[in-house]
Structures are given as structure tokens and as C-alpha cells.
Amino acid sequence: MSTALTLPTLSVGDSIERYVQRVNAFPMLSPEEEHDLAIRHQEHNDLDAARQLVLSHLRVVVSIARGYSGYGLPQADLIQEGNIGLMKAVKRFEASRGVRLYSFAVHWIKAEIHEYILRNWRLVRIATTKAQRKLFFNLRSMKSSFAALTHVQAKEIADDLGVKPEEVLEMETRMTGQDVSLVADDGDDEGYAPIDWLADSHSEPTAVLARNRLDELQSVGIGAALDALDERSRRIIEARWLTDDGESSTLHDLAAEFNVSAERIRQIETKALQKMKQALLPAMV
């Protein structure tokens, strides 16, 4: 439905006041007009009826969106998200239930705005469960000041919302916390960024010892394992696995060099690798 409706939008450079004037110009519907339009849309898929229902309730979206201005997000985006919720409400509205569209649409409008705020208010999601979302959207309005909550105040809010005081204090911490960059800003030569205090896993003692052991196996152990091979087997292994330029020889290349079949080269290679593995096992334990 949203792709077929043409609605007023907040374009770049357009002011909120001008948009409000435009949506307020659309007349409110009487209960009878609203019922008739809803029937036309529901039973006949009349998009013009749906459009009139949406246009007459755009002012409702503006009113609801203004209640979320304290989250620091663009008012225009809040309104646009609310409009999406309104269109979803119109699509699902059933006039036969005896409820006005306004009452039915409020839930859908707020739901879309809530989702937008939770996606964009912080880089880290601060409310994921239903209970956390309820607490997130009620805590700001229930606080009497910008000061941190006392345990008594937290308990009062928790009792009103049916949650634990610890959950109230945790949500307050999440809401008042600021996003911190992991790395320092460009040109900032003073102080340290959080990344400077993170441990380097490559410098961990056991990791260093493991790398040293691996280097020893590669330089000494593999050399000894190669010495245990016959000349042809060693040549095949080196050509296939230990080239300096990273371009290994193919089975057919070596077959032509030794005047045997490619399958015979594969057999020699497999046997040589098994022999090297047995030679390396004692050094790896």
C-alpha cells in the first residue's frame, strides 16, 4: 500500500512548521466518513479511500512524534517513521470492530517510532527485550530531574513498572552512558584511547612460545624430515609445497621431469608426506 499512496513528505530544506501546516490542511473525518472509507478500502481495495484515511490522520503522527523529541533524533525522521506505522494501521483497520482509526493507529505509530529510536539512538543496542523497551521509554519521563536516581526513587519507578530496582538502575546507566570511540581521533596526540589499553593477544606468553615452537619446527624439524627422504621424493615435495615464489609445480610438470605418470607422482608425494609426518610427530609432543 505504501508504494501506491502519494503523501506529503519532509524534503531537504523543508521546515517542520511548513509540513505541519500542510498536514493540518487535510480535514478530519466524521465517524460516518471514516467508516465508509474503511469499508471501501477493506472490501474493494480502494487505494483512494486508504489515502484519505492516512491524510486525515497525519496530524496525529506529528503530535505523537513530538513526544519523542528528547532523544536527540531528527524530528523529520521520527515523523516519517510514524507515517509508516500509520499506513500499516490503515492497511489492517477493520471498521466493523467499532473502534475509531485514531485509537487503533496509535499503537502502530508508536511501534515504528520506537523501533527507529532503538536502532539509531545508540551504536550499541540498549533495549532488546519487551520489558527493557517498556523501561527505556518510560524511565526518561518518570525521572524528576537529570540527577542520578537514588535507590528509593529507583524502587518507586520499579514498583510502578513491575520490574526490579536493579533493572531500573542498569537502564539509567545505559541511557546516560556515551558512545566512546575505540580509537583516538585523528590528530589527537594527547591521552590514550581505549584501544591502547587492550591486551595484544600476539604478545601473550603462551602464544609467543607457540610461535617460537612453530618456527623451530619449520626451520629445523622440516629440514630433518626432508633429509629422511630420497632425492626424488624430496624434489617432489619441495617443488609442490616449498617453493619460494609460491608457484608450485603441477603433477604433470613433475611427471614430465621424471618421465613417469602424474598418478605415480601423486603416489610418491603422498608417501613422502606421510613419512615426513611420522618424522615430525616426536618433535611436536
Side-chain angles (χ1 to χ4, degrees):
M1 182 181 70
S2 60
T3 56
L5 295 181
T6 303
L7 303 176
T9 58
L10 280 164
S11 57
V12 177
D14 199 5
S15 66
I16 297 294
E17 291 74 15
R18 183 177 179 183
Y19 174 82
V20 171
Q21 290 177 355
R22 292 164 62 192
V23 299
N24 284 342
F26 296 109
M28 295 292 290
L29 300 174
S30 67
E32 294 76 18
E33 290 173 330
E34 181 179 292
H35 181 272
D36 292 342
L37 290 171
I39 293 297
R40 283 169 49 191
H41 173 243
Q42 183 180 355
E43 297 183 357
H44 305 289
N45 196 27
D46 189 333
L47 292 182
D48 182 64
R51 182 173 183 274
Q52 293 183 57
L53 289 171
V54 171
L55 292 176
S56 64
H57 286 77
L58 288 177
R59 66 184 69 194
V60 176
V61 176
V62 173
S63 177
I64 294 175
R66 281 176 169 170
Y68 296 92
S69 59
Y71 293 94
L73 294 171
Q75 189 71 19
D77 291 345
L78 294 173
I79 291 174
Q80 298 290 39
E81 293 297 322
N83 287 345
I84 294 175
L86 173 60
M87 288 187 284
K88 289 182 178 181
V90 169
K91 183 177 181 180
R92 295 165 174 81
F93 181 58
E94 297 180 9
S96 59
R97 294 184 178 272
V99 178
R100 294 296 303 270
L101 177 58
Y102 170 85
S103 300
F104 181 76
V106 166
H107 164 76
W108 291 94
I109 296 169
K110 288 185 175 180
E112 289 296 323
I113 293 177
H114 286 186
E115 286 295 327
Y116 173 76
I117 292 174
L118 291 173
R119 288 196 310 267
N120 296 277
W121 198 60
R122 283 287 188 268
L123 293 176
V124 179
R125 295 288 295 274
I126 67 171
T128 55
T129 67
K130 184 177 181 180
Q132 287 177 338
R133 293 184 180 202
K134 179 181 178 181
L135 182 56
F136 175 81
F137 286 107
N138 284 278
L139 182 57
R140 179 182 291 271
S141 60
M142 296 180 73
K143 288 184 63 175
S144 58
S145 67
F146 290 105
L149 290 173
T150 65
H151 287 281
V152 174
Q153 292 172 329
K155 187 177 185 309
E156 292 176 352
I157 294 176
D159 291 340
D160 289 340
L161 298 178
V163 297
K164 298 178 181 179
E166 294 79 8
E167 294 175 321
V168 174
L169 294 173
E170 180 184 357
M171 181 57 68
E172 182 192 30
T173 301
R174 294 187 185 187
M175 292 176 66
T176 56
Q178 298 296 320
D179 296 325
V180 179
S181 176
L182 185 63
V183 297
D185 295 334
D186 293 339
D188 186 5
D189 298 327
E190 299 180 359
Y192 294 91
I195 197 171
D196 297 322
W197 302 101
L198 296 180
D200 183 3
S201 59
H202 294 285
S203 299
E204 200 272 327
T206 57
V208 173
L209 290 174
R211 288 199 304 273
N212 291 341
R213 183 59 174 162
L214 180 60
D215 292 340
E216 181 181 351
L217 285 174
Q218 290 176 335
S219 60
V220 179
I222 294 180
L226 285 172
D227 290 339
L229 301 177
D230 61 80
E231 184 177 348
R232 181 173 63 173
S233 297
R234 176 168 181 158
R235 163 64 185 150
I236 292 173
I237 293 299
E238 290 178 339
R240 292 279 291 161
W241 299 97
L242 302 174
T243 57
D244 294 332
D245 57 7
E247 296 183 3
S248 59
S249 300
T250 66
L251 294 176
H252 292 284
D253 292 337
L254 293 169
E257 179 179 338
F258 290 103
N259 196 26
V260 295
S261 66
E263 176 60 23
R264 179 56 183 158
I265 295 296
R266 188 193 65 78
Q267 294 173 356
I268 296 173
E269 177 187 24
T270 301
K271 186 175 180 180
L273 289 173
Q274 291 175 346
K275 189 172 183 179
M276 291 181 65
K277 181 178 179 180
Q278 293 299 320
L280 286 170
L281 281 177
M284 297 177 66
V285 297

